[in-house]
Amino acid sequence: MIMITKPTIEILKNFCSINKSLVIKPGNRLSTLSINKNILVYADVEEQFDSEMSIYDLSTFLGGLSLFEKPSIDTSKNNYVTVSDAAGRSKTRFFYADPDIITQPPAKEISLPSVDVSFNIDANTLQQLQRAASVYQLPDLCLYGDGEVMNLTVTDKKNDTSNSYSVEVGNTDAEFCYCFRVENLKLLPGAYDVSISKTNVALFQGNGIKYFIALEPNT
């Protein structure tokens, strides 16, 4: 029996916002890839999973876990997982899907091909940027370098008269613009070390979790 901790449930909820399906591999690392293959996440968890679990409807699986205060899983069967409470008095079964129909991360973990810009973002700043994007209904988060400072700005890059909200995040001697779609920044709350590659991909590295997120073309 493997007890599923609350931090792991929060990670699974986050994964559900990226891909509704998930294949859990043996070990203590979870990973998911969005259907559009523009968001890839790796997370280290406390649990040590002993067999593969192919979950087509992750939201329903999480609903099943929520039926128990301290859910534990039994993966001894090949075609389903049993979820029960700590005392084992109540339980539910959840049947696996065919893993071949689920979009999965590549077998080998990826890394950034280059690091061309890097900065740190604290939890409060990230929250404020996301809040500003929601308040103004803005689609883009852009990192601008003007040769002196770097600013993270929520804006609409296709509208020169767009409302915006900016936060200074560091110094630079270069000029650049890297943009994300706000809808792709499905990050757990927290602080992140951010590295950006000119190949249009960025790494957000937090406490035990890594998000690889594609950037938008500068058009």
Side-chain angles (χ1 to χ4, degrees), residues 111-124:
S111 58
L112 281 185
S114 64
V115 176
D116 298 289
V117 180
S118 60
F119 63 93
N120 307 110
I121 184 169
D122 60 68
N124 183 63

Side-chain angles (χ1 to χ4, degrees), residues 37-39 179-181 184 200-202 212-216:
K37 299 184 178 180
N38 56 359
I39 308 170
C179 292
F180 304 88
R181 295 290 291 180
N184 290 337
N200 275 351
V201 64
F212 290 90
I213 302 175
L215 281 76
E216 295 299 297

Side-chain angles (χ1 to χ4, degrees), residues 21-35:
S21 304
L22 177 68
V23 177
I24 297 176
K25 302 286 188 178
N28 70 332
R29 169 156 283 195
L30 303 178
S31 60
T32 192
L33 177 67
S34 65
I35 297 295

